[in-house]
């Protein structure tokens, strides 16, 4: 059983744009899958359908033995809580500390009234500090988020996503706004959580150089269709 199985999924937006046209993908536990393709090819839509930020127009998605495209309410929230996501924009709360930002990733488990009051369990706090250590930011826990560099903010976003104990982490162009050396640093932390914590990663990228270094497998989208899948080392011959 693959961890994730998208079966013939299509997505047409309300304005008529056909962003995905019958995509089939299987992702095994432990993979670091990179999705490449030109801007507008459907990469972001694919990730948003996987975590149910968008509903698919047809097809189905099975994640962790549950057909998430058929779930509703509490069961959907439960399934989604094991799917972490990070974006090109880091989406941190700028005037809050790094630690508070990471703790906000535990919201799925924390009763709303407690989270509004900033009341987190000692266990969650320990966990947040441990994840900050994993992304190399233990010393920044009490610094305001907007004092960090872009690469550091993305690492905070990774730690925040880890608070959900995700089985899979979806990264939508996580380094698109970062310079090359900072990009490598962020990618190395994604690789670390993939290899050391066993979190499966699906990452949208548009730099082929990064693909060869970090992917265990690559798929390419073109105009909403899957046009290639294979080993990162074969990329040069194909593109
Ligand atoms: P990529 O991530 O590869 O750049 P997207 O998934 O963002 O591609 O976009 C795929 C296509 O869907 C594009 O034509 C884009 O303009 C369109 N699209 C994306 N989001 C929406 C939306 N919310 N409403 C309508 N069209 C959208
Ligand atoms: P990014 O560069 O982060 O992929 P975009 O500028 O493509 O962001 O899109 C920003 C937002 O607008 C996204 O939520 C996307 O789904 C939506 N969007 C993108 N293209 C369209 C479109 N053609 N029509 C409506 N919404 C769109």
């Amino acid at each position: 059983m693959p961890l994730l199985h998208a079966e013939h999924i299509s997505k047409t937006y309300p304005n008529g744009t056909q962003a995905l046209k019958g995509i089939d993908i299987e992702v095994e536990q432990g993979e670091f899958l990179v999705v490449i393709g030109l801007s507008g090819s459907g990469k972001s839509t694919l990730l948003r359908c996987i975590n149910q930020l968008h509903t698919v127009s047809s097809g189905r998605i099975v994640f962790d033995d549950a057909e998430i495209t058929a779930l509703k309410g509490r069961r959907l929230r439960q399934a989604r809580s094991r799917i972490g996501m990070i974006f090109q924009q880091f989406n941190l709360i700028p005037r809050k500390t790094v630690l508070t930002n990471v703790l906000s990733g535990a919201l799925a488990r924390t009763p709303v009234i407690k989270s509004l009051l900033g009341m987190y369990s000692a266990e969650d706090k320990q966990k947040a500090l441990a994840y900050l250590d994993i992304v190399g930011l233990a010393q920044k826990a009490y610094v305001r988020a907007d004092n960090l560099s872009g690469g550091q903010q993305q690492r905070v976003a990774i730690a925040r996503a880890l608070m959900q104990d995700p089985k899979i982490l979806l990264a939508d162009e996580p380094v698109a706004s970062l310079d090359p050396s900072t990009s490598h640093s962020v990618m190395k932390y994604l690789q670390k959580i993939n290899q050391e914590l066993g979190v499966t990663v699906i990452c949208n990228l548009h730099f082929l150089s990064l693909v060869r270094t970090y992917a265990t497998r690559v798929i390419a989208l073109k105009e909403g269709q899957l046009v290639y899948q294979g080993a990162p080392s074969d990329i040069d011959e194909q593109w």
Side-chain angles (χ1 to χ4, degrees):
M1 221 28 194
L3 177 64
L4 178 83
H5 188 185
E7 290 178 57
H8 218 66
I9 56 166
S10 295
K11 173 64 182 178
T12 304
Y13 284 107
N15 68 0
T17 305
Q18 282 186 280
L20 298 177
K21 303 169 186 167
I23 303 259
D24 287 289
I25 307 175
E26 288 190 9
V27 183
E28 300 293 338
Q29 168 74 41
E31 282 196 272
F32 195 120
L33 179 70
V34 166
V35 185
I36 57 173
L38 297 177
S39 181
S41 59
K43 304 183 296 298
S44 179
T45 302
L46 176 63
L47 296 192
R48 286 161 193 256
C49 285
I50 290 172
N51 82 350
Q52 296 287 288
L53 274 173
H54 288 327
T55 54
V56 295
S57 309
S58 63
R60 54 183 220 140
I61 299 175
V62 178
F63 167 69
D64 199 18
D65 295 339
E67 186 182 340
I68 50 170
T69 37
L71 297 180
K72 289 194 163 58
R74 185 177 57 85
R75 287 165 60 86
L76 176 62
R77 280 197 302 280
Q78 242 166 25
R80 286 189 71 204
S81 76
R82 309 306 299 275
I83 304 177
M85 187 145 178
I86 62 171
F87 301 88
Q88 176 179 344
Q89 300 83 0
F90 323 117
N91 300 330
L92 302 184
I93 311 165
R95 286 187 292 278
K96 294 289 187 179
T97 65
V98 164
L99 179 63
T100 298
N101 272 279
V102 175
L103 279 165
S104 73
L107 283 184
R109 281 202 319 279
T110 309
V112 173
I113 183 69
K114 285 201 173 178
S115 66
L116 286 174
L117 296 170
M119 293 164 63
Y120 297 94
S121 67
E123 188 191 342
D124 275 347
K125 186 173 165 184
Q126 280 315 109
K127 206 164 126 179
L129 290 169
Y131 285 139
L132 276 174
D133 194 37
I134 285 174
V135 298
L137 292 173
Q139 282 85 349
K140 301 285 187 186
Y142 298 100
V143 170
R144 262 173 54 160
D146 54 5
N147 280 333
L148 300 189
S149 69
Q152 290 172 333
Q153 290 195 37
Q154 190 62 292
R155 284 149 59 193
V156 174
I158 293 169
R160 178 179 58 188
L162 290 175
M163 288 300 287
Q164 294 172 232
D165 300 318
K167 288 203 165 181
I168 195 164
L169 180 66
L170 310 176
D172 191 4
E173 302 269 6
V175 298
S177 61
L178 304 174
D179 64 59
S181 88
T182 310
S183 295
H184 271 291
S185 146
V186 168
M187 292 301 294
K188 276 182 193 146
Y189 284 106
L190 286 177
Q191 187 174 49
K192 180 177 175 184
I193 65 150
N194 172 248
Q195 293 178 348
E196 293 179 17
L197 304 182
V199 179
T200 304
V201 175
I202 306 182
C203 179
N204 291 349
L205 284 180
H206 60 262
F207 289 114
L208 289 182
S209 57
L210 293 172
V211 176
R212 277 190 299 279
T213 312
Y214 299 101
T216 60
R217 188 161 64 96
V218 186
I219 66 175
L221 298 185
K222 185 181 178 189
E223 294 169 8
Q225 289 180 309
L226 200 126
V227 293
Y228 171 79
Q229 56 178 320
S233 53
D234 297 336
I235 278 285
D236 283 332
E237 296 146 40
Q238 300 285 333
W239 294 80

